[in-house]
Amino acid sequence: EKAAKAAAASAGRKAPKWARRGVAEFCGRASNRAVGTLKARALVIGINAYVRDPLQNAVNDAEDVAARLEEIGFDVDLLTDNTQEEAGKVTRKDILARRRHFETSVDENTVAVFAFMGHGVEHGGKQYFLPSEMVDDPAELDDDGIDQKYTLDRIQSKKPLVTIAFL
């Protein structure tokens, strides 16, 4: 709540009502189907260390988003270059494993946030997230990239109360 107010104040505007009241109250008012215990879950991914075209701020952005979400009550799974045993390398396998784990924590009483800070590409009408080892050949995207629509569809298949995606 304080972080949301501070962020909004620094941006010259008032924090949204849901941020001032907290996630639980917002979600309780957002739907009549919330029956069990309300859960707020987030998967936040940030990759700077690309083999080609490294980024400067994706990990910092991911860490900031994760911290703000935790401040307002989210259980956050953060995956960045800095959280890997093999520092500087977030592989496709890492992303898929975390996504599968995240999916198992989402149900109809969940506010789900998925955030990806890193490189992405569009090819053949499909959008992909890219792991640290960027894909050189567009024909390899289905095997080596992470399909954005499929990822979001998998989360939505769990029928969360609310889904928010930062891409």
Side-chain angles (χ1 to χ4, degrees), residues 50-71:
Y50 284 94
V51 175
R52 288 189 347 263
D53 301 321
L55 298 174
Q56 297 294 317
N57 298 313
V59 169
N60 289 341
D61 292 347
E63 290 170 346
D64 287 347
V65 167
R68 297 308 171 264
L69 289 170
E70 285 176 341
E71 287 175 10

Side-chain angles (χ1 to χ4, degrees), residues 87-139:
K89 193 169 189 174
V90 176
T91 67
R92 181 177 195 274
K93 182 179 175 180
D94 297 328
I95 295 169
L96 293 177
R98 295 288 183 98
R99 184 188 74 195
R100 280 190 290 275
H101 180 264
F102 180 65
E103 290 167 12
T104 64
S105 72
V106 173
D107 62 26
E108 65 277 355
N109 293 312
T110 306
V111 176
V113 173
F114 177 81
F116 182 84
M117 287 77 169
H119 280 304
V121 66
E122 191 237 334
H123 178 73
K126 293 171 88 177
Q127 297 177 335
Y128 298 88
F129 309 119
L130 298 179
S132 293
E133 307 90 7
M134 291 177 67
V135 179
D136 291 325
D137 183 355

